[in-house]
Amino acid sequence: MRISELARRTGTTPRALRYYEEQGLLHPTRRASGYRDYDQRAVHTVGHIQLLLSAGLGTTVIAEILPCVPDDTTVLAPTCPELLDGLAEERTRITRSIEKLAAARAILDRLIQGP
């Protein structure tokens, strides 16, 4: 499928998809015309990328994780146990961010409710 179709199917933009390719996260083939050609797996890959980006992970970390999540049923490929420590650190960082956001929300709730 072409980039516009992948963008439509994943709810992203062609620009974002080109960025993912630049970062080594997507690997389309090229048609003779030079157009990018994505296979069906790219839809799942983009979903994983978007989820991991929304969790606050950088593209360098995502590039390490993606090969270890080969499909939607495998949690972590058995060839990637070395990622577990790093993933645990990222989980801790996300938990701290959630706690800070919850504290900020509580302050806003009190301000909105007034005295």
Side-chain angles (χ1 to χ4, degrees), residues 36-54:
R36 291 168 175 86
D37 191 30
Y38 297 92
D39 61 19
Q40 183 59 37
R41 289 176 300 181
V43 174
H44 298 290
T45 300
V46 171
H48 292 304
I49 292 167
Q50 290 174 322
L51 179 65
L52 295 168
L53 285 171
S54 71

Side-chain angles (χ1 to χ4, degrees), residues 10-12 16 19-20 25 45-62 65-66 90-91 93-95 97-98 101:
T10 58
T12 191
Y19 175 73
Y20 299 161
L25 305 177
T45 300
V46 171
H48 292 304
I49 292 167
Q50 290 174 322
L51 179 65
L52 295 168
L53 285 171
S54 71
L57 300 180
T59 56
T60 304
V61 174
I62 294 172
I65 293 172
L66 282 179
E90 288 297 329
R91 185 183 187 285
R93 184 191 59 77
I94 290 169
T95 299
S97 293
I98 290 169
L101 287 169

Side-chain angles (χ1 to χ4, degrees), residues 21 24-29 37-38:
E21 182 182 353
L25 305 177
L26 281 179
H27 307 283
T29 58
D37 191 30
Y38 297 92

Side-chain angles (χ1 to χ4, degrees), residues 41 44-45 47-48 65-78:
R41 289 176 300 181
H44 298 290
T45 300
H48 292 304
I65 293 172
L66 282 179
C68 297
V69 187
D71 55 47
D72 286 341
T73 59
T74 304
V75 177
L76 189 65

